Amino acid sequence: MMDKKVKEITELQKELDRRTAVEKLAEKLIIDGKFEEAKELLDTLDDDKVVRYLCNGQKEDCKKRTCYMNGDKSDHTCFWTRDVRYAKNFEKNKDVVAEDVYYEKRARSKFQ
């Protein structure tokens, strides 16, 4: 199980390094006024590979065998989802009808 985690983290780090290189190159292209080229380069980034949200435990098709919401505290406890619809601190913007738009809820301060 630990080997799987190490592999996942190694792959994630490779993707983050690749993204950083792409973003730096895009920044140079923008500075040089090459906006279309920069946009095309940035469009090659796949956010699904790196974006993870804290799961709310409500995804219907999830077996929830190792879900932290069920109290699992093992080495392979699952905390994450890549689907923003099941992200713990996000909600759908009901003012936007044409497409699903989610936003992060603001953390409530004890002074508010």
Side-chain angles (χ1 to χ4, degrees):
M1 184 53 75
M2 192 59 122
D3 289 341
K4 182 180 176 188
K5 291 280 187 190
V6 169
K7 183 179 178 191
E8 286 177 12
I9 291 170
T10 302
E11 289 174 10
L12 178 60
Q13 188 60 55
K14 283 181 189 176
E15 179 62 19
L16 290 171
D17 291 344
R18 186 187 78 79
R19 289 177 69 89
T20 300
V22 166
E23 290 166 354
K24 285 182 179 181
L25 181 54
E27 184 179 354
K28 287 179 183 179
L29 290 169
I30 290 169
I31 290 169
D32 292 341
K34 299 176 180 177
F35 303 108
E36 279 301 313
E37 289 178 47
K39 183 182 179 320
E40 288 173 14
L41 186 60
L42 291 171
D43 285 344
T44 66
L45 298 178
D46 183 1
D47 289 337
D48 287 341
K49 288 185 177 180
V50 294
V51 176
R52 293 183 184 176
Y53 306 99
L54 180 61
C55 186
N56 65 13
Q58 303 299 313
K59 191 166 184 189
E60 295 88 10
D61 63 344
C62 179
K63 293 186 179 33
K64 299 176 181 67
R65 283 181 261 150
T66 61
C67 180
Y68 80 101
M69 296 292 282
N70 293 335
D72 188 288
K73 297 193 184 333
S74 64
D75 287 344
H76 53 275
T77 301
C78 181
F79 293 90
W80 311 109
T81 181
R82 292 184 181 194
D83 190 335
V84 71
R85 295 174 298 173
Y86 302 102
K88 187 168 186 155
N89 200 39
F90 282 74
E91 63 187 17
K92 188 173 180 179
N93 184 339
K94 294 175 181 39
D95 296 332
V96 179
V97 179
E99 58 184 290
D100 289 345
V101 175
Y102 288 78
Y103 65 94
E104 188 170 12
K105 296 182 225 174
R106 294 183 138 223
R108 290 200 172 137
S109 166
K110 60 183 176 181
F111 302 109
Q112 288 181 331

